């Protein structure tokens, strides 16, 4: 399908005995593509530290990305296009998944990634899913507006009955928004608390 660098999901090394947590990001970066695993670079370090502070053991959780391919320049826009651009470039968009942002749609050549994520989530059967940033928020819930929706509990469209807690992507915090770290921690604590609910 594509020759972009690839990093698969990370299945838990010791799956939680009780209700399970899944954590979903956007797409691998360079280090993730090199190691073949999600969130093993700088964003992963911040994620791991904050999960630990929230009382979550990453080794018990599924860690995944919406897209398993590293996009050029780490820009998720690579997977999307407006109707106009898609037409101009002779590419198909898959409108079944709804708009991403104000005018973009997932390109048909990449929309199988969402179905793949859905099958993986079905098999893992989490009780709660953390959406790290706007891409997983859209893929998991069909909604846009991470700044308005972070810290809330939203229904998962891929897995009915499962709660999604949207929060910041750790790379957003690393790109100069260190003041948001306590909010990121609070969101992860909220997700952890729902596991026991
Ligand atoms: N950013 C993501 O969204 N996923 C990763 O695995 C790494 C960085």
């Amino acid at each position: 399908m594509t020759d972009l660098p690839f990093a698969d999901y990370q299945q838990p090394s010791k799956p939680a005995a009780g209700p399970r947590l899944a954590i979903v990001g956007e797409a691998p970066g360079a280090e993730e593509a090199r190691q073949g695993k999600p969130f093993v670079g700088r964003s992963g370090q911040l994620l791991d530290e904050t999960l630990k502070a929230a009382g979550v053991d990453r080794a018990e959780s599924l860690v995944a990305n919406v897209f398993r391919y590293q996009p050029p320049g780490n820009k998720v826009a690579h997977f999307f296009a407006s109707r106009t651009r898609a037409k101009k470039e002779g590419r198909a968009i898959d409108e079944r998944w709804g708009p991403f942002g104000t005018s973009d749609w997932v390109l048909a050549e990449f929309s199988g990634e969402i179905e793949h994520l859905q099958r993986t989530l079905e098999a893992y059967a989490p009780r709660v899913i953390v959406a790290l940033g706007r891409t997983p928020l859209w893929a998991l819930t069909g909604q846009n507006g991470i700044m308005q929706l972070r810290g809330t509990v939203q229904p998962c469209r891929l897995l009915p009955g499962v709660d999604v807690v949207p929060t910041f992507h750790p790379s957003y915090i690393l790109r100069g928004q260190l003041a948001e770290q306590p909010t990121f921690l609070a969101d992860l604590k909220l997700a952890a608390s729902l596991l026991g609910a």
Side-chain angles (χ1 to χ4, degrees):
M1 179 177 89
T2 170
D3 57 4
L4 294 173
F6 177 89
D8 211 341
Y9 304 147
Q10 193 166 25
Q11 295 289 344
S13 52
K14 44 168 186 165
R20 296 163 169 192
L21 182 72
I23 300 157
V24 182
E26 304 193 311
E31 190 55 26
E32 285 76 18
R34 203 180 65 77
Q35 293 193 36
K37 293 185 195 133
F39 285 104
V40 289
R42 280 186 72 219
S43 292
Q45 241 173 39
L46 176 59
L47 176 64
D48 289 356
E49 281 165 26
T50 318
L51 284 172
K52 204 167 165 199
V56 175
D57 186 350
R58 171 172 171 163
E60 293 188 342
S61 313
L62 175 79
V63 185
N65 283 306
V66 175
F67 299 104
R68 290 169 298 161
Y69 305 98
Q70 184 196 359
N74 293 330
K75 303 274 184 237
V76 287
H78 177 77
F79 303 113
F80 300 90
S82 65
R83 287 187 179 117
T84 314
R85 184 163 75 83
K87 196 170 169 197
K88 206 160 116 195
E89 293 177 4
R91 297 164 86 189
I93 50 176
D94 188 345
E95 297 201 11
R96 286 176 306 152
W97 296 105
F100 178 65
T102 49
S103 57
D104 281 353
W105 306 81
V106 67
L107 285 159
E109 63 216 80
F110 297 115
S111 67
E113 288 297 283
I114 298 157
E115 276 136 11
H116 187 92
L117 176 64
Q118 183 170 35
R119 288 194 295 276
T120 305
L121 290 172
E122 277 165 2
Y124 184 63
R127 168 75 191 82
V128 179
I129 308 175
V130 172
L132 297 171
R134 68 189 195 122
T135 309
L137 168 65
W138 163 83
L140 293 164
T141 73
Q143 299 186 78
N144 292 291
I146 187 67
M147 289 308 183
Q148 293 73 38
L149 292 173
R150 63 130 291 278
T152 65
V153 182
Q154 300 296 322
C156 183
R157 65 170 165 173
L158 302 184
L159 217 49
V162 169
D163 290 332
V164 174
V165 175
T167 188
F168 300 123
H169 192 286
S171 71
Y172 169 75
I173 296 171
L174 290 171
R175 284 195 312 262
Q177 305 296 327
L178 288 177
E180 299 290 12
Q181 224 172 335
T183 309
F184 183 43
L185 173 59
D187 293 348
L188 294 184
K189 281 185 174 168
L190 168 65
S193 75
L194 295 171
L195 288 174

